[in-house]
Amino acid sequence: MSKKIVATTSLAGCFGCHMSLLDIDERILDLIELVEFNKSPIDDIKTFTKQCDIGIIEGGCCNSENVHVLKDFRKNCKILISVGECAIMGGLPAMRNNNASITECLEEAYLNCVSVQANEEKIIPNDEELPMILDKVYPCHEIVKIDYFLPGCAPRADLIWNALVALVTGNEMDLPYEVIKFD
Amino acid sequence: MNKIKIRINDIVCRGEKGQTVLEIAKDNGIYIPTLCNYEGIKPQGSCRICTCMIGGRMMTACTTPALDGMDIVTNSDELEKFRATIVELLFAEGNHFCPTCERSGNCELQALGYRYKMMVPQFPYSFAAKDIDADNPKIMIDHNRCILCKRCIRRKKEKDNPNWFVFKKRGAKVQINIDHELTADFTDKLAQQAMDTCPVGAIIRKEKGFDVPIGERKYDKNPIGSDIEGLKE
């Protein structure tokens, strides 16, 4: 059996879900026997070099670059998995969705916050090289079709492991009570 | 003769006249999920989570008085799907950021999400504009998390307490309001009681939180209802 190819990315997330993936401890050696990593921060491959079987998405979409990467993943991966609260519902970045406008957020970050010290010209970064910030933070499944969801902040290592093993071997997933958590 | 017999999921259960279906089920080790219901407060049946098939009709177990010979189904696939949908609707309607919530791990709504293995709600998140009222020195109200079960309002009514909490506005804009004058001299005990009455993290005690480590909280290891079902480890 040829190895399944896995790609991962972190959009508007904190890399905690990637840390949780690494938290499978010595099982990472078994994982390497089962899968091959393509585009991923883990092996630092920046662009897709071939079609992948499984795409693991951490984080929601808060700017145009996130949307671009997510659509690229949808094009290049047969199965996409939203991993963690941020990918599933926007998570902490989405706390700006309900009450603050994008202007308020930028002004707070670059002008009004007590820790702003050296911005005398009152500049809010607006270079055309920078990705555009979206009006709100979107869960991944509102941008592209997502096939599976693994909740948690971060999802328990066992949940990610069980899901990957189930997908790679084609067996039903083991879902004990302790592994499904929203925090 | 106050004793009655009812059939729940084809099991004969004994209870007393005047008890609700929910109470008899609980006494007989059958768990029916609840959210707006709170022991000691008159039930109102607004959340519909406890809906059961009673005599072939969908009725709320918390408000239905048990009658001798009733035939009740609490756990059919249809009912479980119906309940899971209510949980998903509540998650999509409010702004439930579990990772930042002090109540996480002890939250009844979250525990029902775990029980029904909710990976993602089937409904789009509303991200409705809701704010936080933190003016009171002892407690704060986070409207983002409120599921409008009215437990806080009903509890004080039952105990002849003053109207600490009331509903304000109407329809989709309705929210819990706290009376700042009446709660100005709130004690720690009353604040804790108010927090315990809330099924979610909408009423939170100030200057206290996260005191139980992850892994030891109420619903970390045992699903909600496992104490009733006798499955507790």
Side-chain angles (χ1 to χ4, degrees), chain B residues 7-225:
Chain B
R7 287 172 74 82
I8 303 180
N9 305 337
D10 288 332
I11 300 164
V12 177
C13 299
R14 284 160 219 278
E16 279 172 29
K17 232 180 199 168
Q19 276 188 304
T20 62
V21 171
L22 182 76
E23 286 164 341
I24 295 187
K26 190 181 171 189
D27 293 345
N28 286 275
I30 296 164
Y31 173 67
I32 300 172
T34 55
L35 266 180
C36 71
N37 193 53
Y38 191 75
E39 219 166 315
I41 310 181
K42 193 180 166 203
Q44 69 168 11
S46 62
C47 74
R48 318 310 283 183
I49 276 276
C50 68
T51 300
C52 294
M53 277 293 181
I54 302 180
R57 291 175 60 191
M58 277 184 155
M59 292 167 81
T60 48
C62 68
T63 54
T64 308
L67 297 175
D68 199 29
M70 261 183 175
D71 199 3
I72 297 152
V73 179
T74 69
N75 59 357
S76 67
D77 286 350
E78 185 192 9
L79 286 169
E80 293 292 81
K81 219 171 174 180
F82 174 80
R83 290 179 190 138
T85 307
I86 294 176
V87 173
E88 288 176 16
L89 274 168
L90 287 169
F91 266 97
E93 192 221 359
N95 301 313
H96 297 280
F97 297 100
C98 291
T100 64
C101 182
E102 297 88 330
R103 197 62 191 264
S104 188
N106 300 311
C107 168
E108 290 178 31
L109 177 65
Q110 190 192 50
L112 286 170
Y114 296 163
R115 190 177 170 100
Y116 294 115
K117 299 201 163 142
M118 186 192 82
M119 296 303 194
V120 63
Q122 57 181 304
F123 308 98
Y125 289 101
S126 69
F127 293 119
K130 294 176 183 181
D131 52 9
I132 295 169
D133 182 351
D135 290 345
N136 189 281
K138 291 286 179 198
I139 53 174
M140 64 168 211
I141 297 191
D142 189 340
H143 300 296
N144 293 293
R145 303 167 184 166
C146 183
I147 58 167
L148 303 171
C149 65
K150 231 176 155 186
R151 267 160 53 161
C152 51
I153 297 180
R154 287 184 292 144
R155 174 159 184 173
K156 57 156 182 46
K157 269 189 188 156
E158 303 269 318
K159 314 262 185 221
D160 291 327
N161 290 328
N163 287 339
W164 290 316
F165 303 98
V166 283
F167 263 161
K168 72 172 179 186
K169 300 184 185 170
R170 290 283 180 275
K173 289 180 180 162
V174 69
Q175 57 177 222
I176 297 285
N177 197 26
I178 180 168
D179 189 315
H180 289 297
E181 267 179 40
L182 289 175
T183 54
D185 52 353
F186 234 33
T187 59
D188 285 336
K189 196 180 158 201
L190 283 174
Q192 185 64 45
Q193 266 179 18
M195 182 174 164
D196 292 343
T197 313
C198 184
V200 289
I203 300 177
I204 288 289
R205 225 181 122 184
K206 281 187 178 175
E207 296 169 8
K208 200 170 188 316
F210 302 108
D211 40 1
V212 182
I214 290 176
E216 292 171 26
R217 299 167 305 181
K218 198 171 174 190
Y219 303 118
D220 276 343
K221 293 208 177 90
N222 304 306
I224 187 168

